[in-house]
């Protein structure tokens, strides 16, 4: 596999007979192939940080329920490429997108991709990982059946292709507007093509349904060579069946010398170029959700000339600014994992507006973002946990824009709801809770306040009181979501409690004590689904009767839990770990229960209905988000050394720098953000708490350069395979006896030194006063 393996430059001073090893540029450690295996669902193609265009190869386009492994379009174990499309999700468990697929060919193409086993029967081509390369902002591959080298790069809003044809005088490109990721019959609602008179450019419109109920996209396409011939085919015969004479039966071509336009629900086009023997063919594709004019303007603004290598350098420079926020020490493998995790964490939310600030809102109308950059792709059930807290450190300005984007969504929403799981002007209502709330509150409490706080509080209250959403009517009346009214009732109850705590914190910070008291009370609702007689959370019906029979290991599809079981969700009240410990009977019982969680095997039959439950250590499922904070909970019981041991176990067994190096869906950077925080030695167990629970650093040294000009360093002295435990800690030269850090301490800069050892220190941070706390607000109740 010809990936961007770390390059170590050996500089020898011959006169002195000495050599010096220079470290590679940190951007060189990004390996986009990590996570492209069957679990991670990432893609290796070209993307700029938070870019609106993700230009990447699609190895297979599957339909319906058979699409799970191809959520990102690319699967590392595949052997053929179907084409290169311009929009992709990174690491999701469900999908959409895959817009505007292009594929170069050396001979006049077939109109169908052909079967994987016989790609020569269509426009698909075999490829080999040995002749494939991926770096930040760049992808290339040899299309073996066509003898063509395909190269891709991208700006924020433009994808750029370079195709080098060999041993042919004429080259072809097929544009297939019928394909989408998670495809199905008649997913395309409409498409049309407008070819320019000079035959050097065209515009394309396509609207699809699917995960997004209606998603229009416009594209402006320019070629570096004149089109010698174009054929546009309409494969939608639905309206012409049994209507003889309505349409000529001898042709599927809708374009001729007198027409430069075509429209249909199933369009394909074949372009021929006659100068490929002397120079590569380059293609620029600008995207817009607003209009053809917007797509053209995006293309002109971001790629004004024909210089593929210049675009590669510009995008890699953007990635270099991202990676330069960290200086780390470690092995090559550790650096690849760390910087690739950072790369994945910087792909979403993504920019969603044209260069003039226009975007299509959730109401279907075109809006103008005058004072912020509009973002989309909010996978909030996943990303509120670690990704957004990470971005409050690294990208405070973008975080403020993301908050304003959420508030704009609320203002445009016919339901007056904040985003749940939204992308490209659509609310999908996927997953549970109203996790925009902790993202907004966490940002505000950390000083990111470039938004209307009254509007934000109104949005939170209206969202959290929307009775028809996920059983909120019963939740407000009964104090829990009853299982006979709603599936996933226990998970919904607990996660709404987490969000209610965030609302209470926000209201308290604004001085609205009445609302704060109301929501602090609502935040205790998770207790109403905890059955103290068995020590687990479980379903309860609207009459107050517990779910029977009950198995805490069972994870039914649409049962009482969301992609998890009672073992995981019994510890899911992230906002009230102390309360959970009280419910479970105290420190010793909770520590023993956590031990059992990590050691009791999970019967595969109990979770076979869920594709997302992966990365198992006993009942712990690292491949899915409800487990992500659990290893840190030993700190709350006075046994932090067990957290240190579990973090090392997870790192060693469930993460690597290989294509299968992610234990489950990366989920738009959440898995990667967990890795980044945990590598540094601390984690945001309770968003909005303004504190971070100390785990165990996995790198000898990490320096995080903050936007405020300060630097935060974590040094792990004596760290080794055996020395996984913290012996002692010093913060800026002063012994630290508590197992948590505050946000202010990190933002203020400084140095945290952890001295590691082979045996656990069972005296450090065991006292109640030294366990993780929630930082009090200046406004008290």
């Amino acid at each position: 596999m010809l990936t961007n393996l770390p390059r170590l430059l050996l500089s020898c001073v011959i006169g002195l007979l000495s050599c010096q090893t220079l470290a590679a540029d940190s951007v060189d450690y990004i390996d986009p192939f990590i996570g492209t295996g069957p679990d991670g669902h990432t893609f290796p193609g070209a993307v700029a940080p938070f870019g609106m265009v993700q230009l990447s190869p699609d190895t297979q386009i599957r339909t319906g329920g058979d699409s799970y492994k191809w959520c990102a379009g690319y699967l590392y174990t595949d052997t053929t490429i179907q084409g290169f499309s311009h929009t992709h999700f990174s690491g999701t468990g469900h999908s959409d997108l895959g817009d505007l697929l292009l594929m170069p060919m050396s001979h006049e193409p077939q109109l169908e991709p052909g079967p994987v086993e016989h790609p020569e029967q269509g426009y698909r081509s075999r490829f080999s990982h040995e002749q494939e390369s991926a770096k930040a902002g760049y992808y290339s591959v040899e299309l073996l059946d066509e003898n063509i080298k395909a190269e891709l790069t991208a700006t924020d809003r433009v994808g750029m292709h370079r195709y080098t044809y060999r041993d042919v005088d004429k080259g072809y490109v097929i544009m297939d507007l019928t394909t989408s990721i998670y495809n199905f019959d008649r997913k395309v609602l409409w498409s049309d093509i407008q070819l320019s008179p000079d035959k050097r450019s065209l515009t394309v419109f396509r609207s699809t349904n699917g995960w997004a109920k209606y998603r229009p996209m416009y594209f402006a396409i320019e070629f570096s060579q004149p089109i010698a011939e174009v054929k546009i085919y309409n494969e939608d015969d639905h309206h012409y069946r049994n209507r003889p004479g309505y349409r000529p039966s001898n042709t599927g071509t809708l374009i001729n010398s007198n027409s430069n336009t075509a429209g249909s629900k199933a369009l394909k086009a074949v372009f021929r170029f006659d100068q490929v023997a002397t120079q590569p063919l380059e293609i620029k594709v600008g995207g817009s959700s607003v209009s053809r004019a917007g797509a053209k303007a995006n293309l002109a603004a971001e790629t004004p000339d024909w210089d593929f290598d210049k675009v590669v350098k510009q995008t890699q420079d953007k990635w270099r600014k991202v990676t330069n926020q960290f200086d780390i020490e470690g092995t090559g493998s550790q650096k690849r994992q760390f910087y690739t995790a950072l790369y994945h964490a910087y792909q979403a939310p993504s920019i969603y507006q044209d260069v003039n600030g226009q975007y299509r809102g959730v109401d279907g109308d075109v809006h103008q973002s005058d004072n912020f950059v509009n973002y989309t792709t909010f996978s909030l059930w996943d990303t509120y946990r670690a990704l957004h807290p990470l971005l409050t450190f690294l990208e405070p300005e973008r975080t403020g824009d993301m908050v304003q984007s959420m508030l704009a969504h609320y203002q445009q929403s016919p339901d007056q709801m904040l985003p749940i799981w939204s992308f490209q002007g659509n609310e999908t209502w996927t997953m549970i809770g109203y996790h925009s709330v902790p993202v907004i509150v966490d940002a505000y409490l950390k000083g990111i306040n470039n938004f209307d706080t009254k509007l934000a509080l109104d949005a939170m209250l209206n969202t959290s009181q929307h009775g028809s959403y996920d059983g909120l009517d019963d939740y407000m009346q009964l104090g829990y979501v009853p299982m006979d009214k709603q599936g996933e009732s226990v998970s919904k109850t607990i996660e709404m409690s987490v969000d209610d705590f965030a609302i209470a914190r926000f209201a308290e910070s604004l001085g609205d004590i009445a609302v704060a008291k109301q929501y602090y009370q609502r935040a205790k609702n998770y207790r109403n689904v905890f059955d103290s007689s068995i020590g687990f959370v479980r379903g309860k019906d609207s009459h107050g009767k517990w779910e029977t029979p009950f198995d805490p290991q069972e994870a039914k599809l649409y049962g009482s839990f969301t992609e998890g079981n009672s073992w995981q969700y019994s510890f899911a009240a992230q906002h009230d770990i102390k309360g959970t410990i009280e419910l479970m009977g105290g420190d010793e019982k909770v520590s023993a229960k956590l031990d059992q969680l990590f050691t009791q095997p999970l019967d595969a039959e109990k979770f076979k209905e869920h594709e997302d439950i992966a990365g198992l250590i006993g009942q712990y499922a690292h491949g899915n988000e409800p487990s992500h904070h659990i290893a840190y909970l030993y700190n709350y019981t006075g046994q932090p050394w067990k957290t240190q041991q579990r973090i090392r176990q997870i790192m060693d067994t469930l993460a690597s720098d290989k294509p299968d190096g992610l234990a489950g869906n990366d989920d738009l950077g959440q898995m990667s953000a967990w890795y980044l925080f945990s590598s540094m030695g601390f984690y945001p167990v309770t968003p909005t708490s303004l504190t971070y629970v100390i785990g165990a650093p996995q790198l000898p040294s990490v320096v995080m350069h903050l936007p405020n000009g300060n630097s935060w360093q974590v040094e792990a002295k004596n760290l080794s395979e055996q020395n996984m435990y913290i012996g002692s800690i010093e913060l800026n030269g002063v012994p630290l006896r508590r197992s948590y850090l505050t946000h202010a301490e990190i933002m203020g800069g400084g140095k945290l030194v952890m001295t590691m050892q082979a045996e656990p220190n069972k005296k450090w941070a065991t006292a109640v006063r030294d366990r993780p706390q929630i930082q009090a607000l200046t406004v008290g109740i």
Side-chain angles (χ1 to χ4, degrees):
M1 179 175 70
L2 297 178
T3 63
N4 52 313
L5 296 176
R7 299 193 296 269
L8 298 179
L9 306 178
L10 190 63
S11 176
C12 297
V13 183
I14 299 177
L16 300 177
L17 297 178
S18 64
C19 294
Q20 179 183 8
T21 301
L22 303 179
D25 190 337
S26 56
V27 76
D28 292 336
Y29 287 104
I30 292 176
D31 186 347
F33 287 113
I34 295 176
T36 57
D39 292 324
H41 294 176
T42 65
F43 61 85
V47 60
F50 304 106
M52 190 169 83
V53 167
Q54 309 87 25
L55 178 53
S56 188
D58 296 328
T59 54
Q60 291 192 53
I61 300 294
R62 293 294 190 102
T63 59
D66 194 29
S67 300
Y68 182 75
K69 291 182 181 179
W70 291 270
C71 287
Y74 180 99
L75 184 60
Y76 190 82
T77 53
D78 282 345
T79 58
T80 66
I81 287 175
Q82 185 166 332
F84 307 102
S85 64
H86 293 74
T87 55
H88 295 82
F89 288 130
S90 178
T92 53
H94 189 37
S95 199
D96 207 318
L97 307 180
D99 292 299
L100 201 137
L101 184 138
L102 298 178
M103 185 65 169
M105 297 194 74
S106 294
H107 55 280
E108 189 160 1
Q110 304 278 352
L111 293 181
E112 297 301 322
V116 172
E117 297 80 9
H118 296 284
E120 69 280 358
Q121 296 178 11
Y123 63 73
R124 183 190 304 276
S125 177
R126 296 176 182 89
F127 78 106
S128 167
H129 295 305
E130 282 68 38
Q131 294 172 283
E132 182 185 31
S133 175
K135 304 176 183 179
Y138 173 83
Y139 173 86
S140 73
V141 67
E142 292 286 343
L143 300 175
L144 300 178
D145 289 308
E146 306 301 326
N147 197 19
I148 295 171
K149 181 178 182 179
E151 299 173 274
L152 312 176
T153 189
T155 66
D156 287 344
R157 300 169 179 86
V158 179
M160 193 168 184
H161 309 237
R162 182 164 65 187
Y163 300 145
T164 301
Y165 297 77
R166 301 188 183 94
D167 304 324
V168 293
D169 296 324
K170 299 177 182 180
Y172 298 85
V173 173
I174 183 168
M175 180 174 68
D176 191 341
L177 298 181
T178 70
T179 69
S180 296
I181 298 173
Y182 262 80
N183 212 24
F184 55 86
D185 186 40
R186 308 190 71 76
K187 182 173 182 176
V188 177
L189 299 172
W190 188 253
S191 59
D192 62 53
I193 296 171
Q194 295 183 7
L195 187 66
S196 68
D198 64 2
K199 302 291 181 71
R200 296 291 289 259
S201 64
L202 65 148
T203 58
V204 173
F205 167 77
R206 189 174 88 147
S207 62
T208 59
N209 66 348
W211 198 13
K213 60 184 180 294
Y214 175 67
R215 194 174 57 85
M217 283 293 294
Y218 300 86
F219 296 94
I221 306 171
E222 293 182 358
F223 300 99
S224 63
Q225 300 179 19
I227 302 170
E229 182 184 35
V230 59
K231 294 180 180 179
I232 301 177
Y233 299 89
N234 174 14
E235 294 189 344
D236 179 20
D237 64 351
H238 179 76
H239 295 293
Y240 305 107
R241 294 172 187 167
N242 304 317
R243 300 179 71 181
Y246 185 76
R247 174 186 179 202
S249 60
N250 62 343
T251 178
T253 303
L254 286 182
I255 194 167
N256 56 41
S257 59
N258 298 315
S259 176
N260 288 334
T261 65
S264 165
K265 294 182 179 180
L267 284 181
K268 297 177 182 179
V270 176
F271 305 96
R272 194 189 85 222
F273 301 90
D274 291 349
Q275 299 177 12
V276 298
T278 58
Q279 56 186 319
L281 172 68
E282 295 184 357
I283 307 173
K284 297 188 291 189
V285 181
S288 169
S289 67
V290 175
S291 65
R292 288 179 173 83
K296 289 179 180 179
N298 292 341
L299 190 152
E302 296 188 355
T303 54
D305 48 29
W306 290 101
D307 194 335
F308 182 91
D309 294 326
K310 177 183 175 182
V311 174
V312 172
K313 183 180 183 305
Q314 289 174 340
T315 302
Q316 288 188 337
D317 285 346
K318 289 184 178 181
W319 281 114
R320 189 167 285 106
K321 289 181 180 179
V322 172
T323 58
N324 284 350
Q325 293 175 111
F326 288 92
D327 296 318
I328 72 172
E329 295 177 10
T331 66
S333 175
Q334 289 173 323
K335 289 181 178 181
R336 280 193 295 278
Q337 290 181 76
F338 188 93
Y339 285 114
T340 305
L342 186 63
Y343 169 78
H344 286 143
Y346 263 67
Q347 292 187 25
S350 53
I351 295 167
Y352 186 59
Q353 66 174 46
D354 294 343
V355 290
N356 65 0
Q358 289 187 331
Y359 66 95
R360 190 172 300 277
V362 72
D363 56 1
D365 293 335
V366 174
H367 298 267
Q368 182 76 38
S369 60
D370 291 323
N371 62 341
F372 69 98
V373 176
N374 189 60
Y375 286 82
T376 191
T377 313
F378 289 108
S379 179
L380 293 159
W381 183 81
D382 309 293
T383 57
Y384 87 90
R385 304 166 194 269
L387 176 66
H388 284 287
L390 179 72
L391 295 180
T392 62
F393 281 122
L394 303 178
E395 297 290 339
E397 183 176 347
R398 288 189 195 266
T399 294
D401 288 346
M402 291 170 188
V403 170
Q404 293 202 61
S405 301
M406 293 181 194
L407 295 178
H409 176 112
Y410 163 74
Q411 291 175 298
Q412 297 156 15
S413 166
D415 301 289
Q416 282 199 300
M417 293 275 287
L418 286 164
I420 304 299
W421 208 125
S422 63
F423 72 97
Q424 294 200 359
N426 281 264
E427 178 55 74
T428 70
W429 306 108
T430 303
M431 308 314 293
I432 62 172
Y434 27 95
H435 297 313
S436 293
V437 168
V439 174
I440 296 170
V441 177
D442 196 52
Y444 179 76
L445 295 181
K446 292 173 179 176
I448 301 170
N449 53 14
N450 63 334
F451 55 89
D452 185 334
T453 54
K454 182 181 184 305
L455 172 65
L457 183 58
D458 288 345
M460 295 175 194
L461 296 179
N462 283 332
T463 299
S464 66
Q465 295 171 15
H466 198 284
S468 63
Y469 171 69
D470 268 8
L472 263 170
D473 48 359
D474 287 312
Y475 176 83
M476 291 184 287
Q477 181 179 350
L478 301 174
Y480 62 94
V481 178
M483 67 180 186
D484 53 332
K485 300 281 191 71
Q486 289 275 327
E488 304 176 349
S489 60
V490 174
S491 297
K492 290 174 181 177
T493 300
I494 296 172
E495 296 199 24
M496 288 174 181
S497 300
V498 173
D499 298 334
D500 289 341
F501 173 79
I503 294 174
R505 294 272 285 176
F506 191 57
E508 182 182 353
S509 71
L510 297 178
D512 194 331
I513 303 305
V515 169
K517 287 182 176 179
Q518 175 190 357
Y519 276 83
Y520 277 129
Q521 188 62 39
R522 275 180 53 155
K524 298 178 182 178
N525 281 347
Y526 78 94
R527 298 170 179 244
N528 295 329
V529 291
F530 183 86
D531 184 353
S532 58
S533 69
I534 61 171
F536 286 97
V537 292
R538 65 167 163 170
K540 182 190 289 186
D541 70 16
S542 53
H543 303 289
K545 295 182 179 179
W546 291 111
E547 177 182 359
T548 304
F550 172 74
D551 181 349
Q553 289 197 41
E554 195 166 58
K556 288 183 178 179
L557 193 65
Y558 306 118
S560 294
F561 303 97
T562 302
E563 296 183 5
N565 64 19
S566 184
W567 271 104
Q568 294 138 27
Y569 268 96
S570 291
F571 295 98
Q574 297 165 257
H575 64 299
D576 192 11
I577 305 302
K578 291 182 180 179
T580 299
I581 292 172
E582 292 173 2
L583 287 174
M584 290 186 176
D587 296 342
E588 292 302 321
K589 287 187 177 181
V590 171
S591 290
K593 198 178 192 76
L594 286 169
D595 291 342
Q596 188 179 359
L597 181 146
F598 279 102
T599 56
Q600 181 169 311
L602 178 56
D603 184 351
E605 281 295 309
K606 302 290 178 65
F607 67 97
K608 65 180 180 180
E609 297 178 15
H610 286 280
E611 297 168 303
D612 295 272
I613 298 177
L616 299 175
I617 300 175
Q619 302 291 316
Y620 176 84
H622 188 66
N624 213 15
E625 279 66 25
S627 287
H628 276 188
H629 67 288
I630 290 177
Y632 288 88
L633 298 186
Y634 287 108
N635 286 44
Y636 295 79
T637 68
Q639 297 185 347
W641 65 90
K642 290 186 177 180
T643 285
Q644 297 155 27
Q645 187 272 329
R646 292 300 178 190
I647 296 298
R648 172 61 67 84
Q649 181 183 14
I650 295 166
M651 288 286 192
D652 286 352
T653 62
L654 297 176
S656 77
D657 62 344
K658 302 296 190 294
D660 61 353
L662 293 175
N665 303 332
D666 194 56
D667 282 313
L668 281 306
Q670 165 59 27
M671 183 84 69
S672 292
W674 183 95
Y675 184 90
L676 293 166
F677 270 120
S678 297
S679 293
M680 290 189 286
F682 54 96
Y683 187 77
V685 168
T686 304
T688 79
S689 68
L690 297 176
T691 57
Y692 303 84
V693 179
I694 293 174
Q698 302 299 304
L699 297 165
S701 175
V702 179
V703 180
M704 179 168 57
H705 303 291
L706 300 166
N708 64 7
N710 296 329
S711 293
W712 170 259
Q713 182 178 4
V714 178
E715 180 182 353
K717 287 185 176 180
N718 305 326
L719 179 66
S720 68
E721 184 177 351
Q722 293 75 29
N723 294 344
M724 70 177 72
Y725 297 103
I726 295 172
S728 62
I729 301 183
E730 288 186 352
L731 175 59
N732 296 327
V734 178
L736 184 71
R737 295 180 174 85
R738 52 181 160 87
S739 62
Y740 67 95
L741 301 163
T742 70
H743 187 74
E745 286 170 339
I746 298 172
M747 292 301 294
K751 187 173 184 179
L752 188 73
V753 178
M754 303 189 192
T755 301
M756 311 301 290
Q757 60 188 39
E759 297 298 324
N761 180 352
K762 297 185 178 181
K763 296 182 179 180
W764 176 77
T766 59
V768 173
R769 67 178 179 274
D770 296 330
R771 299 175 192 178
Q773 308 289 326
I774 293 173
Q775 186 171 319
L777 301 174
T778 54
V779 178
I781 295 181

